[in-house]
């Protein structure tokens, strides 16, 4: 399905998270590429309930680093961290549900875990949740909700969300039809190298008057200035 291709834009979050003092041995080993030692150092901490260690161990199983690739194990460790409100683990668990890796495929479960990560401010989760609302996968189609989640991600600098928000403005879906605002968001995303946004901006520019295009550039500058650093 097309929506899966969109979700891949956000992908899995595979960056090992910052560690507490008692996890440094595992991090030192990971940085050196000694993934087996990293797994041995993190496992007892993960079993004691440390969310960061649980997430990190999930990443190792997800990618087959120092251990055999095992999506069921990855899902188990992600879930343990996710239930402690570890946003990155919630996101990765959602991706596994969306693709049926290590768990039974479930769009509804994917949406549930994306939402939990999104409300914590994770821009990748906000973008994916917006995509699910836009397409009606795992939930009822709701363009207003899609626009809301795209906006939250866009305001953190998420280029794909900026492009998709522009599309909603261009089509008047969930927001008032406004080609000038669409042009502005396309411009912001294009400045980050998003090829789709660059194409969309050039296409919509053909329908704008010089005054409208000038206003779109002004808004794009305003939007860029208001972008907040992303979480995490």
């Amino acid at each position: 399905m097309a929506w899966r291709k969109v979700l891949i834009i956000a992908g899995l979050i595979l960056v090992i998270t910052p560690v507490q003092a008692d996890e440094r041995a595992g991090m030192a080993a990971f940085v050196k590429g000694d993934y087996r030692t990293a797994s041995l150092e993190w496992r007892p901490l993960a079993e004691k309930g440390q969310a960061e260690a649980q997430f990190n161990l999930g990443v190792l199983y997800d990618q087959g680093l120092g251990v055999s690739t095992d999506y069921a194990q990855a899902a188990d460790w992600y879930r343990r961290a996710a239930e402690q409100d570890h946003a990155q683990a919630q996101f990765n668990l959602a991706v596994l549900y969306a693709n049926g890796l290590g768990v039974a495929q479930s769009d509804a479960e994917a949406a549930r875990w994306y939402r939990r990560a999104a409300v914590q401010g994770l821009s990748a989760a906000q973008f994916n949740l917006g995509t699910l609302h836009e397409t009606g996968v795992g939930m009822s189609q709701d363009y207003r909700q899609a626009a809301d989640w795209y906006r939250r991600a866009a305001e953190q600098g998420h280029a794909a969300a900026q492009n998709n928000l522009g599309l909603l403005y261009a089509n008047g879906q969930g927001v008032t039809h406004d080609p000038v605002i669409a042009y502005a968001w396309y411009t912001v995303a294009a400045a980050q190298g998003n090829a789709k946004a660059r194409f969309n901006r050039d296409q919509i520019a053909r329908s704008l008057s010089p005054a409208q295009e000038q206003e779109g550039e002004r808004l794009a500058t305003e939007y860029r200035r208001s972008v907040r650093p992303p979480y995490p």
Side-chain angles (χ1 to χ4, degrees):
M1 295 176 65
W3 70 272
R4 293 195 189 283
K5 295 180 182 178
V6 177
L7 293 182
I8 291 172
I9 292 173
L12 283 164
I13 294 176
L14 300 174
V15 177
I16 297 297
T17 56
V19 295
Q20 299 175 10
D22 55 355
E23 295 178 276
R24 288 177 182 165
M27 178 57 70
F30 182 87
V31 170
K32 292 178 182 178
D34 185 356
Y35 305 123
R36 175 173 169 73
T37 297
S39 69
L40 293 174
E41 291 289 345
W42 282 329
R43 184 177 300 278
L45 300 174
E47 290 174 346
K48 290 178 182 178
Q50 287 193 14
E52 288 81 8
Q54 291 169 341
F55 170 74
N56 291 350
L57 198 55
V59 170
L60 296 185
Y61 275 110
D62 206 330
Q63 297 299 292
L65 300 174
V67 293
S68 298
T69 301
D70 188 328
Y71 293 119
Q73 283 286 327
D76 179 58
W77 289 113
Y78 286 153
R79 187 184 306 280
R80 297 191 199 194
E83 289 173 348
Q84 296 188 67
D85 284 332
H86 192 292
Q88 295 162 301
Q90 291 168 343
F91 179 87
N92 281 10
L93 182 58
V95 172
L96 294 187
Y97 270 112
N99 293 283
L101 297 173
V103 292
Q105 197 282 332
S106 173
D107 295 324
E109 277 297 292
R112 183 170 76 88
W113 286 109
Y114 282 137
R115 182 176 298 279
R116 288 188 60 173
V119 297
Q120 293 196 70
L122 192 66
S123 62
Q126 292 169 341
F127 171 72
N128 280 13
L129 189 59
T131 301
L132 296 184
H133 275 296
E134 182 179 2
T135 57
V137 172
M139 59 182 66
S140 299
Q141 188 175 51
D142 188 329
Y143 290 116
R144 291 183 65 181
Q145 283 289 318
D148 178 58
W149 288 112
Y150 284 152
R151 188 183 307 281
R152 297 191 198 194
E155 290 175 349
Q156 293 192 74
H158 195 293
Q162 293 165 349
N163 176 66
N164 284 15
L165 183 58
L167 284 167
L168 293 185
Y169 273 106
N171 296 321
Q173 295 172 312
V175 292
T176 302
H177 173 253
D178 194 321
V180 174
I181 293 179
Y183 175 92
W185 280 117
Y186 291 151
T187 299
V188 174
Q192 296 193 69
N194 188 287
K196 291 181 180 179
R198 187 180 302 111
F199 175 83
N200 290 337
R201 178 199 60 195
D202 294 345
Q203 289 295 306
I204 204 168
R206 298 176 182 177
S207 67
L208 301 180
S209 68
Q212 287 177 313
E213 187 167 346
Q214 184 177 5
E215 174 62 8
E217 292 290 346
R218 186 194 69 78
L219 285 175
T221 299
E222 179 181 312
Y223 294 160
R224 280 194 292 267
R225 289 174 178 169
S226 65
V227 167
R228 303 185 305 276
Y231 171 86

